[in-house]
Structure formats: structure tokens, C-alpha cells
Amino acid sequence: MEKIFNLSNNLNEYGKNMCSFDELLQIIKFDKTTQQVCKALRSGNLSKERERELKEMLKTVEFNSITEKHRRRENIKEFTGYLCVDLDDRGVDYDELREKLIKDDTLNPTLIFTSPRGKLKMVLHLEQMHGATEEDFYDYYKQCVIYIAEKYGVVADTNCMNPVCLCFVSHDDNPYYNHEEPLCQIQFY
């Protein structure tokens, strides 16, 4: 399996390790520290400071781009061909939304897993991202977010509309992964 994502051991470390989807799935499903941290985060009884401390213990991955040296826009080496959307709108049944997203043959998600606080992270495969510019990234991200809002009534986290955004690797007993990595079929303009 191809190693395509920068992986860091925590929020304060620059990702020197490359990982594949299969390696990422092993962490999501089986890493004991990730399980314990996510259990605490999902309890809902934490101060903001304690929540931040716990999140700093989680591994992070750069789904959108590969950077050199430091995670800054000017250090983007290339876009990965994937786009991560963070779905954390309030009042949403995330189990029901997950099932709907899995069946959505326009989005064709490659990966869906539970976020640290019990919401959803979704990774889409966009052929257009290969060789894309930063401006292209913003356009593709906006169009994906608009599609999700119009079809499902869910507002995606716009903080992730950053090509060098880190994604916390969080525990999920049953992450969805489509090994065929189908392409997102949104018509980009």
C-alpha cells in the first residue's frame, strides 16, 4: 500500500513519517493511547484546557497536502489527491449521517471515521487535486462543503479549509474504508 500522508506522533511534532490508509486504519482501530484519549474526550466532562491537553496526545495526519520542513502553505510540496472534511455540526445523528454518506455515490467517500469528540471525519479522493494549486484546493473544498450542506443539511467545519490542516487520528471501532478509493463525482467548475 502506498504511503501518501504525513503522520506525526502528536500535535507539536512535524510529520516525518509517511503512512498509508492501511497503517492509519491500524491506529484508528487498535492504538491503545488513541482509544483512551478519545474515551476521555467523548465523556463530555472536560474543561477546555484538559480537552486541549488530551488532543495534544493524539497522532495527527495531513490528508490534504504534503509539506516539507514545516507545516506552512509556502512549504506545500504537493497535494495528496485527497480532501478531508470535518463534520461537527450540532444536533446531528452521526450514526445515521455516516450510513447516508457511505451510500452517497456522488461523494464516494474513501474513509469515514469518528472524530475525537464523537463526530465525523470524511476523506474524499479527488483526481483534480493531483497537480492542483492552492486556489484549486479552496474551490474544491467549498464545492464539497456546499454539496454536503445542500444534500444533508450539515455544516462542515470551515477551519479545515486549510491545505495544511492537521487531522487528529481518533479511535473508531468500525471505520469505513473503501479499498477501491473511488473518485468523488462532484462536478467541479
Side-chain angles (χ1 to χ4, degrees):
M1 191 53 134
E2 185 181 7
K3 296 178 184 256
I4 52 177
F5 304 116
N6 277 339
L7 179 70
S8 301
N9 287 323
N10 58 55
L11 187 60
N12 299 313
E13 176 187 286
Y14 172 71
K16 300 174 190 130
N17 303 312
M18 297 299 285
C19 75
S20 67
F21 275 114
D22 287 336
E23 291 165 325
L24 196 56
L25 286 166
Q26 292 299 309
I27 297 167
I28 290 170
K29 293 195 307 193
F30 303 115
D31 184 77
K32 295 296 182 196
T33 300
T34 302
Q35 289 176 355
Q36 292 168 349
V37 168
C38 288
K39 182 177 181 181
L41 286 167
R42 293 170 189 162
S43 72
N45 302 323
L46 303 171
S47 68
K48 290 288 184 187
E49 182 178 325
R50 181 63 181 143
E51 187 176 303
R52 183 181 46 76
E53 289 171 358
L54 286 168
K55 279 187 169 181
E56 287 179 359
M57 297 169 65
L58 292 172
K59 293 181 183 340
T60 61
V61 64
E62 288 179 71
F63 280 115
N64 302 328
S65 64
I66 296 172
T67 56
E68 293 181 316
K69 297 182 184 177
H70 300 287
R71 192 180 49 84
R72 295 187 188 127
R73 287 183 178 103
E74 62 268 16
N75 294 335
I76 293 174
K77 181 179 169 186
E78 64 184 301
F79 288 96
T80 62
Y82 295 88
L83 187 135
C84 182
V85 180
D86 195 0
L87 301 167
D88 60 2
D89 205 359
R90 297 172 198 248
V92 174
D93 179 335
Y94 285 99
D95 291 330
E96 181 181 317
L97 179 60
R98 176 192 296 248
E99 292 309 310
K100 288 179 180 177
L101 293 169
I102 288 169
K103 295 174 184 170
D104 189 315
D105 57 4
T106 299
L107 288 174
N108 285 329
T110 298
L111 176 66
I112 299 175
F113 63 103
T114 306
S115 71
R117 294 184 63 215
K119 308 218 170 133
L120 291 179
K121 305 267 186 189
M122 178 173 58
V123 179
L124 304 173
H125 188 186
L126 278 68
E127 184 176 47
Q128 300 88 337
M129 287 297 294
H130 295 287
T133 65
E134 191 173 337
E135 187 176 311
D136 293 333
F137 169 84
Y138 293 118
D139 289 342
Y140 300 148
Y141 193 93
K142 287 177 195 172
Q143 289 178 58
C144 289
V145 167
I146 289 169
Y147 173 87
I148 293 164
E150 289 176 351
K151 182 155 186 179
Y152 300 104
V154 176
V155 178
D157 184 348
T158 55
N159 288 328
C160 297
M161 193 171 71
N162 176 346
V164 295
C165 184
L166 287 178
C167 175
F168 289 108
V169 180
S170 51
H171 177 71
D172 189 327
D173 286 324
N174 191 26
Y176 169 79
Y177 175 56
N178 186 330
H179 289 272
E180 295 175 9
E181 299 179 24
L183 293 174
C184 177
Q185 297 299 313
I186 291 176
Q187 296 301 308
F188 297 102
Y189 46 89

